[in-house]
Amino acid sequence: MEVVEEEVSNKQIILKEYVSGFPKESDMVVKTGTIHLQLPEGSKNAILVKNLYLSCDPYMCRRMRKLEDSYVESFTPGSPITGFGVARVLDSGHPNFKKGDLIWGRTGWEEYSIVTEPANVFKIQNTDVPLSYYTGILGMHGMTAYVGFYEICSPKQGDYVFISAASGAVGQLVGQFAKLLGCYVVGSAGTKEKVDLLKNKFGFDEAFNYKEEKDLEAALKRYFPNGIDIYFENVGGKMLDAVLVNMRLHSRIAVCGMISQYNLERPEGVHNLFCLITKRVRMEGFIVFDYYHLYPKFLEMILPCIKGGKITYVEDVAEGLESAPAALIGLFSGRNVGKQVVVVARE
Amino acid sequence: MEVVEEEVSNKQIILKEYVSGFPKESDMVVKTGTIHLQLPEGSKNAILVKNLYLSCDPYMCRRMRKLEDSYVESFTPGSPITGFGVARVLDSGHPNFKKGDLIWGRTGWEEYSIVTEPANVFKIQNTDVPLSYYTGILGMHGMTAYVGFYEICSPKQGDYVFISAASGAVGQLVGQFAKLLGCYVVGSAGTKEKVDLLKNKFGFDEAFNYKEEKDLEAALKRYFPNGIDIYFENVGGKMLDAVLVNMRLHSRIAVCGMISQYNLERPEGVHNLFCLITKRVRMEGFIVFDYYHLYPKFLEMILPCIKGGKITYVEDVAEGLESAPAALIGLFSGRNVGKQVVVVARE
């Protein structure tokens, strides 16, 4: 007779109901259920994991709304929200994973999760770096920066590069990739602390606090008197409008995110798109999911950079699953400095 | 002693002063000056031409404003406006041109012009097609359609193609190129007559009158239930917003013009740019000037199509230079049906 694993308590972050307008901490609630630490019989292809680190990402707040035609699905009210995380496999019905494996990928905001679609779950092979890095620089965000910069921006040495939300998980990496290639790199962020980080820690040539600039167009003109070759777009809205008039001939915009717009009932209008013609700009949206086949190539590039100190990475770590809702909502007020991570368990 | 050519009268269309707001016929005035039909001595590289046909184009009204940072320069108040035309060379100080040559390129809105920068002037070699075609299908507009479609849109057989301002000089050609390639093609225009032209003359699969659609998003959904692979953008504003939500995964937008925006003090806001991410859209502005090296290749493709009846071309011909201001302003009310041309002289 099979030994049935004990039932344990399982703390979860539950979405109360669909959100309209700006999401609040109180749209989520911490509940404690129970779970058997064993997959139900016949759970083919599923894995049961213990969550260790969770990633807080702006796009998650979009998923709290009732979405119709989006690339991500809405969360389910009454159920735990989901996101990227690092976890330990406790039980596996999937041939690629076995008990004890460490993985990163989509999991639940809870202590234990059953992952039924491990197609986008990656086994962690290199553990001589902090495990939490797989929620960011070695996970989806690192890949996003890598793909967005190298595959979309057509970068070359000497290019003038501007990055918005530059101290975030993706922005800080894009800037460092650009510096490694010999570009001139400027980033914008929303606090003095972040601006200092960009200049002193991540090696950006310049950085500015967009909240202190009355005229974003003029600010960009100041930092890019000759214009911008590459804009890595994370924020949208007014910043995009200001960037458009500062683009150079044959420049590129990689559209990665538009955080300033996610919680608006109607996105702001962008008025300066005619610049796409006058400056012959290529503006291209992308989603990292389309490029996961490049993950091994990415690791080959990034791991030596991390170990050799050529790439710096800053995390903002919140302790305990209970702190997760505040950490998530804090992204929109720019509370975090660096990549926002939640530690669920350190094992 | 050299024979000095007679002085003749030279009718000109003069811009009175910089325009703000919507340009009107009365912003231009017809004046009659005189000109010697001979280049002044030492006119190196200049050519003196007799203008035969002139092209009316939306971008010209932008040039009536005081522009600062544009890809085209403002016209000079008090001087004749300029545009694309077909002309006969009467005198030449340029080694590439000689008396009697027919040319197309940038010239003045007047009976006779001295062209001092014939860099973008092309000698007309094939005269077994209507000469006026070199103001459009065989000139800048044909090249724009060719470059925009083949170089920017990455078209392939079976693609769903949407073209706005589709009965215009460029749009009618893009649609026919797309049909030749085996695409499904829908165009929008602003009168029943133009819609009929698109369907019955240019062979579009479908066409609709955008002025009769209360909900452009829904209209596009009706014609493209599976979404749009290629959007050839000629109008901007609300149409672009409606298109964005109807784009397919990995679709392309060639940004050729934004006629609906040219005469607004501030362009309309475009709200749905987030779709660039969700649908992984590449949106690219271009200007035909960058591709003039492809002109011989273009002629090789288009001339047999015209002679073989595979490509149809419709012109709206206004007689006489005096009719030019009304013809130009009429573009914005959609008065013209097909490419708007002005005949200055038939020789």
Side-chain angles (χ1 to χ4, degrees):
Chain A
M1 204 184 107
E2 209 184 347
V3 180
V4 176
E5 289 279 349
E6 54 178 338
E7 195 175 64
V8 297
S9 78
N10 188 21
K11 225 179 292 172
Q12 302 180 310
I13 307 296
I14 306 286
L15 175 67
K16 285 191 202 161
E17 48 197 79
Y18 288 128
V19 171
S20 64
F22 210 91
K24 306 172 299 296
E25 240 185 280
S26 60
D27 290 321
M28 293 163 271
V29 63
V30 185
K31 273 194 185 164
T32 303
T34 58
I35 188 170
H36 278 284
L37 291 187
Q38 193 173 30
L39 285 170
E41 210 150 330
S43 299
K44 266 193 188 160
N45 291 327
I47 57 177
L48 171 73
V49 301
K50 180 183 180 186
N51 293 309
L52 306 176
Y53 299 95
L54 297 174
S55 168
C56 297
D57 294 301
Y59 81 92
M60 296 173 66
C61 286
R62 270 179 56 82
R63 301 188 65 190
M64 294 187 182
R65 294 161 170 265
K66 193 164 171 53
L67 299 172
E68 270 160 27
D69 187 28
S70 182
Y71 67 113
V72 289
E73 286 179 8
S74 296
F75 292 135
T76 309
S79 294
I81 67 173
T82 63
F84 285 90
V86 169
R88 174 78 74 181
V89 177
L90 300 184
D91 193 6
S92 172
H94 193 287
N96 293 357
F97 302 96
K98 62 175 197 301
K99 186 173 170 172
D101 281 350
L102 283 165
I103 58 108
W104 75 265
R106 205 174 282 283
T107 187
W109 275 35
E110 52 192 341
E111 289 176 284
Y112 302 95
S113 296
I114 291 174
V115 179
T116 53
E117 289 173 26
N120 285 329
V121 165
F122 297 82
K123 209 186 287 191
I124 293 174
Q125 314 277 7
N126 298 78
T127 53
D128 52 352
V129 285
L131 262 189
S132 60
Y133 278 22
Y134 286 93
T135 64
I137 186 172
L138 294 174
M140 189 268 276
H141 307 79
M143 271 295 285
T144 300
Y146 176 78
V147 161
F149 186 64
Y150 291 106
E151 302 288 318
I152 309 289
C153 292
S154 310
K156 55 185 192 308
Q157 195 179 359
D159 274 349
Y160 298 102
V161 177
F162 176 57
I163 303 160
S164 55
S167 72
V170 174
Q172 57 174 268
L173 285 170
V174 172
Q176 292 180 82
F177 290 156
K179 282 310 299 174
L180 284 177
L181 190 65
C183 300
Y184 171 80
V185 181
V186 178
S188 65
T191 67
K192 183 181 180 310
E193 190 180 5
K194 291 178 185 180
V195 167
D196 290 345
L197 204 63
L198 290 174
K199 289 201 277 195
N200 304 325
K201 184 109 184 164
F202 298 130
F204 282 48
D205 294 289
E206 292 288 352
F208 65 91
N209 182 343
Y210 70 91
K211 291 179 182 166
E212 285 178 356
E213 300 289 345
K214 271 186 215 144
D215 182 342
L216 287 173
E217 258 186 62
L220 289 168
K221 188 94 193 157
R222 202 164 68 229
Y223 291 106
F224 296 97
N226 299 315
I228 299 168
D229 290 300
I230 291 176
Y231 173 45
F232 200 95
E233 162 70 306
N234 289 313
V235 306
K238 291 181 184 63
M239 182 63 93
L240 177 55
D241 250 341
V243 166
L244 279 165
V245 298
N246 280 285
M247 293 304 281
R248 288 184 99 180
L249 279 190
H250 304 290
S251 53
R252 289 82 63 196
I253 299 177
V255 190
C256 178
M258 294 190 165
I259 189 173
S260 71
Q261 307 298 301
Y262 292 168
N263 299 317
L264 303 178
E265 276 308 311
R266 189 183 188 209
E268 289 177 281
V270 172
H271 299 268
N272 296 329
L273 288 170
F274 191 70
C275 295
L276 295 181
I277 303 180
T278 56
K279 308 298 177 64
R280 293 81 144 166
V281 181
R282 170 164 56 80
M283 184 170 177
E284 189 164 352
F286 72 100
I287 295 183
V288 64
F289 311 153
D290 297 338
Y291 297 86
Y292 274 161
H293 57 282
L294 298 177
Y295 187 60
K297 197 176 148 202
F298 161 68
L299 278 187
E300 216 169 276
M301 176 266 196
I302 193 91
L303 281 169
C305 287
I306 295 175
K307 291 175 191 166
K310 283 189 181 172
I311 293 271
T312 301
Y313 184 59
V314 173
E315 293 182 320
D316 192 322
V317 179
E319 289 289 333
L321 191 59
E322 298 84 349
S323 69
L328 178 61
I329 300 302
L331 293 174
F332 293 96
S333 57
R335 204 190 68 163
N336 59 306
V337 176
K339 165 68 193 154
Q340 183 67 60
V341 180
V342 174
V343 186
V344 185
R346 284 209 158 79
E347 294 202 297
Chain B
M1 204 185 110
E2 206 181 352
V3 179
V4 176
E5 291 278 350
E6 54 179 338
E7 194 175 65
V8 298
S9 79
N10 188 21
K11 225 179 292 172
Q12 304 182 308
I13 308 295
I14 306 284
L15 176 67
K16 286 191 200 161
E17 47 196 78
Y18 288 127
V19 170
S20 63
F22 210 94
K24 306 172 298 298
E25 240 185 279
S26 59
D27 290 321
M28 293 164 271
V29 64
V30 185
K31 274 193 184 165
T32 303
T34 57
I35 187 170
H36 278 285
L37 290 187
Q38 192 173 33
L39 285 169
E41 210 150 330
S43 298
K44 267 193 188 160
N45 291 326
I47 56 179
L48 171 73
V49 301
K50 178 182 181 187
N51 293 309
L52 306 177
Y53 299 96
L54 297 174
S55 168
C56 296
D57 294 300
Y59 81 92
M60 296 173 66
C61 285
R62 270 178 58 81
R63 301 188 66 189
M64 294 187 183
R65 294 160 169 267
K66 193 165 171 51
L67 299 172
E68 270 159 28
D69 187 28
S70 183
Y71 66 113
V72 287
E73 285 179 9
S74 297
F75 292 136
T76 308
S79 294
I81 66 173
T82 64
F84 286 90
V86 170
R88 175 78 73 183
V89 177
L90 300 185
D91 191 8
S92 174
H94 193 287
N96 295 356
F97 302 96
K98 60 176 199 301
K99 186 173 173 175
D101 281 350
L102 284 165
I103 57 110
W104 74 266
R106 204 174 285 282
T107 186
W109 275 35
E110 52 192 342
E111 290 177 284
Y112 302 94
S113 297
I114 291 174
V115 179
T116 52
E117 290 172 27
N120 286 328
V121 165
F122 297 83
K123 208 185 289 190
I124 293 174
Q125 314 277 8
N126 300 78
T127 53
D128 51 353
V129 286
L131 262 189
S132 60
Y133 279 21
Y134 286 93
T135 64
I137 185 170
L138 293 175
M140 189 268 277
H141 307 80
M143 270 297 283
T144 300
Y146 176 78
V147 160
F149 187 64
Y150 292 107
E151 300 290 316
I152 308 289
C153 292
S154 310
K156 54 185 192 308
Q157 194 180 358
D159 274 350
Y160 297 102
V161 177
F162 176 58
I163 302 158
S164 54
S167 72
V170 174
Q172 57 175 268
L173 285 171
V174 173
Q176 292 181 82
F177 290 157
K179 283 309 300 174
L180 284 177
L181 191 65
C183 300
Y184 170 81
V185 182
V186 179
S188 64
T191 66
K192 184 182 178 309
E193 191 181 3
K194 291 178 184 180
V195 167
D196 290 344
L197 205 62
L198 291 174
K199 289 201 279 194
N200 304 326
K201 183 110 184 163
F202 299 130
F204 283 48
D205 294 289
E206 293 287 351
F208 65 91
N209 183 343
Y210 71 91
K211 290 178 181 166
E212 285 179 355
E213 300 289 344
K214 272 186 213 144
D215 182 342
L216 287 173
E217 257 185 62
L220 289 168
K221 187 93 193 159
R222 202 164 68 230
Y223 290 107
F224 296 96
N226 299 315
I228 299 167
D229 290 301
I230 290 175
Y231 173 46
F232 200 95
E233 163 71 306
N234 289 313
V235 305
K238 288 180 187 64
M239 183 62 94
L240 177 55
D241 250 342
V243 166
L244 280 165
V245 298
N246 279 287
M247 294 303 282
R248 287 184 100 181
L249 279 189
H250 304 290
S251 52
R252 288 83 64 196
I253 299 176
V255 190
C256 178
M258 294 189 167
I259 189 174
S260 71
Q261 307 297 301
Y262 293 168
N263 299 318
L264 303 178
E265 276 308 311
R266 191 188 187 205
E268 289 177 280
V270 172
H271 299 268
N272 296 329
L273 289 170
F274 191 71
C275 295
L276 295 180
I277 302 179
T278 57
K279 307 297 177 64
R280 292 81 145 167
V281 181
R282 169 163 59 79
M283 184 169 177
E284 191 164 352
F286 72 100
I287 294 183
V288 65
F289 312 153
D290 298 338
Y291 298 86
Y292 273 161
H293 58 282
L294 298 178
Y295 186 61
K297 198 176 147 198
F298 162 68
L299 278 187
E300 216 168 278
M301 177 267 195
I302 193 92
L303 282 170
C305 285
I306 294 174
K307 291 176 192 167
K310 282 189 180 174
I311 293 269
T312 300
Y313 183 59
V314 172
E315 293 181 320
D316 192 323
V317 179
E319 290 289 334
L321 191 59
E322 298 84 349
S323 67
L328 179 60
I329 300 302
L331 293 175
F332 293 96
S333 57
R335 203 191 69 162
N336 59 307
V337 175
K339 167 66 193 155
Q340 182 67 59
V341 181
V342 174
V343 185
V344 183
R346 283 208 159 80
E347 293 202 296

